[in-house]
Amino acid sequence: MEFLGTLVIILIATSLFGHLASRVGIPAVIGQLFVGIILGPALLNWVHANDFIHIFSEIGVIILMFIAGLESDLTLLKKYLRPSIIVALLGVLIPMVLIYPVGIVFGLTQFESLFLSVIFAATSVSISVAVMKELNLLDSKSGSTVLGAAVVDDVLAVVLLSIMVSLIGTKAGTDTQIPLALTFLEQLIYFAAIYFVMRFIAPLLARLGTKLLNPVGPTIMAMILCFGMAYIADLIGLSAVIGAFFAGIAIAQTHVAHEVDQSIEPIGYAIFIPVFFVSIGLNMSLAGIEHDLLLIIVLTIVATLTKLLGAGSGAKWAGFSSNEAYLVGAGMVSRGEMALIIAQIGYQSKLISDDYYSAIITAIILTTLLAPLLLKHAARHVNYSASSIIEQK
């Protein structure tokens, strides 16, 4: 039962550091992310990224994005679909264009530099979701745009990764290749099926849940839908968090939405979500960092600025104010688990060499640490009130 000891250490540390972070006026997520760096290989080396951490963190991020979908307003998401697409497109294009020459300058091959740009074109809004929820911005104009852009961004990242893997002739280190056209078709069918899930399946599961002789019947049905949609999304090459997010939106349209939210949030934030935040920091290692220090610094700065300016300029182009555009750009900076997954797949597929892998992982984690700080700073200049959020709806 060694994993229970590890879990106790993580929960004590994340509670303490989250509290201290809030006390000094920074998002609690920052404190929890630092726990992974402190307890992991980078410093104390007490906790390692084993199977237990991986499984709990996967469940944590799925629950986090399910809650985000559950608490999102579908009308707002539809309303800001166009800005979301523009934000995602520029938020992918600009990092790809400007990070490629960084790779060339530091001695990566053209192919490695291209893959480097794909890694940092990705966005992972799970960290941003936690911060926006903490700041009561999740169900705002900017929050809805960030959530919508994250879906588009995820699809673009999958497309780019699929193309890169196809070019090298492998798929995540295996000999089995799924034709790119078939992957796209499966993903199109998946997004089309979301309508039927919202219209028929989610209400049916909600009714079944209320009829079960179980006090948490609706929550059980909601979790079946959440994990089911996440699993299928992962099966066809999309991120599991996309499936969880849409499952949350589907349940939000039913009469059990409030009950499910009240049940699942304590479970997520008490156990699984803290492990997810810690798992990000556990990927960081300081071994040999002095040799790659300049690359890490340049990558972190360029990755942060390109996503901030790219996504922010997309929001500005879509008619947002400068402060709102800054908030949207800050919400898209975090690379988190999405970039880590792409980097890992590329590493296994020989798209990136051993010489640069650690530096890339460190830069991903640093951008993830910077994102909540930028969001907090941006939020000070927007000041959405409860009444203005209601008016946006």
Side-chain angles (χ1 to χ4, degrees), residues 17 88 105 130-131 142 173 212 251 294 297 332 361 364:
F17 277 77
V105 167
V131 177
S142 298
L212 285 176
I251 293 296
L294 184 59
I297 292 170
M332 299 293 286
I361 295 298
I364 290 170

Side-chain angles (χ1 to χ4, degrees), residues 226-250:
C226 170
F227 294 137
M229 289 184 68
Y231 173 70
I232 295 171
D234 181 73
L235 210 58
I236 61 172
L238 288 169
S239 171
V241 300
I242 294 298
F245 176 67
F246 280 111
I249 291 177

Side-chain angles (χ1 to χ4, degrees), residues 19 23 30 42 44 108 116 132 188 198 218-219 253 304 321 357:
H19 173 76
R23 284 293 297 270
I30 284 285
L44 297 178
L108 279 74
L116 183 68
M132 288 190 292
L188 283 173
M198 291 184 183
T219 303
Q253 312 310 308
T304 301
S321 69
Y357 183 67

Side-chain angles (χ1 to χ4, degrees), residues 15 118 134 273 297 332 350 362 381:
S15 298
V118 171
E134 188 178 330
I273 295 173
I297 292 170
M332 299 293 286
K350 311 301 181 187
T362 303
H381 298 84

Side-chain angles (χ1 to χ4, degrees), residues 162-181:
S162 299
I163 292 170
M164 292 293 292
V165 171
S166 296
L167 287 174
I168 203 67
T170 66
K171 187 176 189 298
T174 67
D175 295 327
T176 306
Q177 286 198 68
I178 301 173
L180 201 56

Side-chain angles (χ1 to χ4, degrees), residues 194-255:
I194 288 171
Y195 168 79
F196 294 96
V197 170
M198 291 184 183
R199 185 75 176 82
F200 303 108
I201 297 175
L204 175 63
L205 289 175
R207 288 195 298 272
L208 286 173
T210 55
K211 291 179 180 179
L212 285 176
L213 298 178
N214 189 315
V216 290
T219 303
I220 293 172
M221 291 295 108
M223 287 293 92
I224 289 171
L225 183 65
C226 170
F227 294 137
M229 289 184 68
Y231 173 70
I232 295 171
D234 181 73
L235 210 58
I236 61 172
L238 288 169
S239 171
V241 300
I242 294 298
F245 176 67
F246 280 111
I249 291 177
I251 293 296
Q253 312 310 308
T254 69
H255 68 285

Side-chain angles (χ1 to χ4, degrees), residues 73-82:
D73 188 293
L74 187 58
T75 305
L76 265 183
L77 289 171
K78 288 178 180 177
K79 182 177 180 180
Y80 296 110
L81 179 61
R82 178 181 168 273

Side-chain angles (χ1 to χ4, degrees), residues 54-70 124 126 129 222-234 238-249 264 268 272-273 276-277 337 341:
H54 176 71
I55 292 169
F56 266 54
S57 66
E58 287 287 333
I59 295 173
V61 71
I62 286 170
I63 290 177
L64 177 63
M65 291 307 293
F66 175 76
I67 293 171
L70 197 59
S124 176
S126 49
V129 161
M223 287 293 92
I224 289 171
L225 183 65
C226 170
F227 294 137
M229 289 184 68
Y231 173 70
I232 295 171
D234 181 73
L238 288 169
S239 171
V241 300
I242 294 298
F245 176 67
F246 280 111
I249 291 177
I264 196 61
F272 296 103
I273 295 173
F276 162 65
F277 292 141
E337 79 283 354
I341 290 167

